[in-house]
Amino acid sequence: QVQLVESGGGWVQPGGSLRLSCAASGTIFSINDMGWYRQAPGKQRELVAGFISGGTTNYADSVKGRFTISKDITKNTVYLQMNSLKPEDTAVYYCNLQAWGRNYWGQGTQVTVSS
């Protein structure tokens, strides 16, 4: 059993910042298999940021230089620092875990960027 709980979403003006958190609990797994996705209205869910084997990070081109994924192993938590937010970043953001041949998802947290 694995549970992923996102938090930190909300409303922010363009140019603002938010930090999302994903707290994981349950069966032991590798926190390095976690990442962030988002789904905007009318669009498919897309990868925003994730960890790759060896500690390398991967980002969508649209967020490079603005978003940073990080982790706190002691807290079993993955973060997504989002800076210089744009209206097009508006979406539901989901925490993801790939383990045991399947994907696990959090409930999602809404991020709205508007003036």
Side-chain angles (χ1 to χ4, degrees):
Q1 296 289 333
V2 174
Q3 289 188 323
L4 307 174
V5 181
E6 303 99 332
S7 62
W11 172 83
V12 65
Q13 296 187 68
S17 299
L18 287 173
R19 189 178 77 159
L20 306 183
S21 298
C22 175
S25 63
T27 306
I28 296 175
F29 63 92
S30 175
I31 197 169
N32 293 317
D33 295 326
M34 296 175 64
W36 289 95
Y37 287 70
R38 69 184 181 187
Q39 186 166 22
K43 294 187 176 182
Q44 296 183 5
R45 191 170 298 185
E46 64 177 348
L47 174 69
V48 176
F51 293 107
I52 302 176
S53 179
T56 303
T57 54
N58 183 41
Y59 297 93
D61 288 341
S62 60
V63 307
K64 286 182 179 178
R66 300 188 298 118
F67 291 11
T68 303
I69 187 171
S70 61
K71 58 190 176 184
D72 186 337
I73 297 177
T74 65
K75 296 181 179 180
N76 257 18
T77 300
V78 175
Y79 304 94
L80 183 67
Q81 179 66 46
M82 306 184 294
N83 298 325
S84 301
L85 284 162
K86 305 175 181 179
E88 50 263 44
D89 294 319
T90 296
V92 177
Y93 285 70
Y94 296 91
C95 182
N96 168 265
L97 167 67
Q98 191 277 308
W100 308 293
R102 61 156 290 183
N103 286 300
Y104 297 83
W105 300 95
Q107 83 286 352
T109 184
Q110 176 71 46
V111 172
T112 301
V113 185
S114 68
S115 56

